[in-house]
Amino acid sequence: MGTDDRPHDAVMPTDVPRQLSWFDRFATATSGYISHAWFFVACVLLVVVWAPSIFAFGTVDTWQLVINTLTSIVTFLLVALLQNTQKRADEAVQHKLNAIADGLTDLMSHVGGDDPDVDRDRRELRRAVGLEDRESSA
């Protein structure tokens, strides 16, 4: 299956721009940092430091409000960043699958010749390339 008969929504790895936006680079770096054990340890230490701070705040409501607000803000921001990196990873896998399907249909054309079963399988594989894009809700 050459580029002329590739479905219009099937993106190949070589068609993907190599330059990442500043946000993508920031999200990737953040994802790298928070996936290490030291980030988890820092979170545990935050809770350990927060727990005895009840004496500094005077009321339980203020004490709880501080940790609830802090964790809500951090969670909200991290979900946005991690969603960015996950989406790009999913797209990269789809592009690689497109390349594999393209190469496989080319190989099937050369090896299978005019065999009707191979031709049917090639057409089915061509239709499958980019299937995720057609079936997604995005």
Side-chain angles (χ1 to χ4, degrees):
M1 175 165 98
T3 55
D4 51 307
D5 54 7
R6 183 182 306 138
H8 70 281
D9 57 352
V11 179
M12 300 301 280
T14 55
D15 299 331
V16 177
R18 299 279 184 235
Q19 185 63 30
L20 294 176
S21 71
W22 68 268
F23 182 76
D24 290 342
R25 289 191 309 270
F26 176 73
T28 300
T30 302
S31 178
Y33 286 122
I34 67 173
S35 65
H36 289 96
W38 66 262
F39 182 79
F40 178 76
V41 171
C43 291
V44 170
L45 287 175
L46 176 67
V47 172
V48 169
V49 168
W50 165 78
S53 71
I54 189 169
F55 302 111
F57 287 105
T59 67
V60 172
D61 290 340
T62 305
W63 179 65
Q64 287 179 327
L65 182 63
V66 167
I67 195 71
N68 288 343
T69 302
L70 180 65
T71 56
S72 293
I73 291 169
V74 169
T75 300
F76 177 71
L77 295 174
L78 287 180
V79 165
L81 290 174
L82 295 177
Q83 184 60 34
N84 173 279
T85 56
Q86 183 62 49
K87 179 178 182 269
R88 287 187 291 115
D90 290 346
E91 288 173 350
V93 168
Q94 184 61 40
H95 300 329
K96 291 171 186 173
L97 289 173
N98 290 346
I100 291 169
D102 186 46
L104 185 56
T105 56
D106 285 346
L107 180 63
M108 291 167 74
S109 294
H110 293 298
V111 173
D114 294 331
D115 185 347
D117 289 334
V118 173
D119 191 47
R120 185 191 75 242
D121 292 342
R122 272 187 26 247
R123 283 193 311 273
E124 182 64 30
L125 187 55
R126 281 189 185 124
R127 284 192 298 269
V129 174
L131 185 61
E132 182 179 279
D133 292 334
R134 291 192 299 274
E135 290 184 347
S136 71
S137 59

